[in-house]
Amino acid sequence: MQQINGDIKSGNWKQMYLLFGEEAYLRRQYRDRLRQALSGDGDSMNTHYFEGKDINQGEIIDLAETMPFLAERRVIVMENTGLFKSGGEKLAEYLAEPAPTAYFVFVENEVDKRSKLYKQVQAAGHAAEFGAQDEKTLKRWMAGILKKEGLQITESTAEAFLDKVGTDMENIRSELEKLVCYCMGKSVVDPVDVEAICTTRINNRIFDMVTAIGEKRTEDALNLYYDLLALKEPPMRILFLIARQCNTLLQVKQLKNKGFANKAIGEKLGLPGFVAGKYASQAAGFKERELKRAVTCCVEAEEAVKTGRMNDTMSVEMLIVSVL
């Protein structure tokens, strides 16, 4: 991010930028900043946007070779093309010696760092990875947004907010907007404000459900499941999230047993440190064999639905009742 900020400030551009990683909010923010800085406001004639996997690389190259109209640069933004995982060899060859007036901004969720296209952009331009932000960074960002609205937030309230809404920056921004409106006329955000207005993310409900299952509180687990159904969450999505939760807990448990600290576990699994700590605490309530069985039961529940032996709603209900 520092490299991109420096380039925008100095005007000393690379001809190609790749923005990738799981934090979609930051990808979009830097995509828009680069597009605006490279092409200027309103220059639609020399700025082109392509999205999706049905992209003709030959047409892109022809466009890049076309001289810009009354401008220094022709800016080509390409998003979610999949070319950084496979099939981008033709474009990679072109980028080894592109037209001097052609500038590229690539935006991808996932990339293969072994691909020819990734290596070419990394060598000739700049590849920036936007991963999940740590707790300290998120708190500082939140505090800055609230400060502009004349609000303050304590450390403990910020932790309660993140625990409730999660670490996705797009969701955090949306929930902060609600919180600002709710706290109009106040100077400090209180925990009761967070509880009153902010929406609990589905992952938190799944987290609580798995905790209830592990503690043999079957009725509580089922009530959480029925709440999600009432919120129109598809049973198969709930099953997917339960399976992901159990699999993550298994990995955390195994790493804990090998002596890894929470921070190191977070780095290995791509989780913020404080989230890894929550998983470690939850995993402590399970035996490793229980988590392995839970993962297997999730696979069996999905198979039962796909083969028609059981409907989706009942399959997840039976899983909750019998998994541990």
Side-chain angles (χ1 to χ4, degrees):
M1 286 186 280
Q2 289 181 348
Q3 174 74 55
I4 297 175
N5 289 332
D7 290 356
I8 291 174
K9 186 176 180 179
S10 67
N12 185 22
W13 304 106
K14 305 287 189 299
Q15 267 195 269
M16 57 203 79
Y17 292 87
L18 168 62
L19 316 176
F20 71 99
E22 61 182 292
E23 185 44 77
Y25 178 84
L26 289 177
R27 292 201 316 266
R28 287 193 293 269
Q29 290 290 309
Y30 277 86
R31 174 201 65 191
D32 294 343
R33 291 187 65 194
L34 277 170
R35 179 163 57 181
Q36 181 177 337
L38 282 166
S39 60
D41 289 328
D43 186 5
S44 57
M45 186 168 291
N46 297 297
T47 305
H48 311 272
Y49 178 77
F50 300 91
E51 184 176 11
K53 297 183 179 181
D54 298 325
I55 287 180
N56 186 313
Q57 295 178 62
E59 290 180 5
I60 297 294
I61 292 170
D62 289 343
L63 181 62
E65 286 291 305
T66 304
M67 288 289 293
F69 181 72
L70 299 178
E72 295 181 32
R73 292 177 287 272
R74 185 172 296 281
V75 181
I76 301 172
V77 182
M78 299 171 63
E79 190 160 5
N80 298 324
T81 65
L83 294 175
F84 284 84
K85 296 188 76 174
S86 63
E89 292 78 12
K90 183 175 181 179
L91 188 57
E93 291 176 7
Y94 174 73
L95 292 179
E97 197 173 347
T101 55
Y103 287 74
F104 292 84
V105 178
F106 300 101
V107 187
E108 301 285 337
N109 183 21
E110 295 180 322
V111 302
D112 183 351
K113 294 183 179 180
R114 301 167 299 178
S115 69
K116 188 173 181 180
L117 184 55
Y118 177 86
K119 291 178 179 178
Q120 179 57 46
V121 173
Q122 186 184 45
H126 178 66
E129 183 170 6
F130 299 98
Q133 301 299 290
D134 59 39
E135 183 179 17
K136 183 178 179 181
T137 301
L138 290 174
K139 286 179 180 178
R140 187 169 60 245
W141 180 62
M142 288 165 48
I145 293 172
L146 291 173
K147 186 177 180 180
K148 291 179 182 177
E149 302 293 338
L151 286 167
Q152 294 181 332
I153 188 168
T154 65
E155 185 88 7
S156 59
T157 304
E159 288 175 1
F161 176 87
L162 290 174
D163 189 53
K164 189 174 181 67
V165 309
T167 59
D168 178 82
M169 293 180 73
E170 190 72 57
N171 191 51
I172 289 174
R173 184 71 196 231
S174 175
E175 293 297 322
L176 283 177
E177 289 175 1
K178 289 162 54 178
L179 196 58
V180 167
C181 293
Y182 186 78
C183 294
M184 193 172 295
K186 298 182 64 173
S187 59
V188 179
V189 176
D190 296 320
V192 290
D193 301 323
V194 172
E195 189 61 33
I197 197 65
C198 295
T199 303
T200 303
R201 61 174 180 159
I202 182 174
N203 283 0
N204 276 13
R205 295 176 187 268
I206 299 295
F207 192 95
D208 292 340
M209 185 189 300
V210 172
T211 297
I213 293 171
E215 294 175 355
K216 313 301 181 186
R217 293 186 286 110
T218 305
E219 185 176 350
D220 290 342
L222 285 172
N223 285 335
L224 285 164
Y225 175 52
Y226 299 143
D227 287 345
L228 289 172
L229 291 179
L231 293 170
K232 307 299 183 184
E233 286 293 340
M236 294 307 288
R237 172 167 163 74
I238 297 171
L239 174 59
F240 166 76
L241 291 171
I242 292 174
R244 186 175 68 177
Q245 177 83 359
C246 291
N247 188 54
T248 301
L249 286 173
L250 176 59
Q251 294 179 72
V252 170
K253 185 77 173 178
Q254 291 172 335
L255 290 170
K256 265 293 183 184
N257 290 341
K258 292 178 181 179
F260 285 90
N262 292 345
K263 183 178 180 181
I265 291 173
E267 290 172 352
K268 281 186 170 291
L269 300 183
L271 300 170
F274 76 102
V275 175
K278 283 184 61 180
Y279 276 104
S281 297
Q282 189 179 54
F286 296 90
K287 295 181 175 62
E288 186 173 329
R289 61 178 173 78
E290 291 177 326
L291 291 170
K292 286 181 177 178
R293 180 172 178 271
V295 173
T296 301
C297 287
C298 288
V299 174
E300 291 173 349
E302 181 181 9
E303 184 182 2
V305 175
K306 289 183 175 179
T307 56
R309 289 187 288 110
M310 194 176 296
N311 69 52
D312 53 3
T313 302
M314 181 63 72
S315 178
V316 179
E317 190 171 291
M318 292 299 296
L319 172 72
I320 292 170
V321 171
S322 62
V323 66
L324 293 171

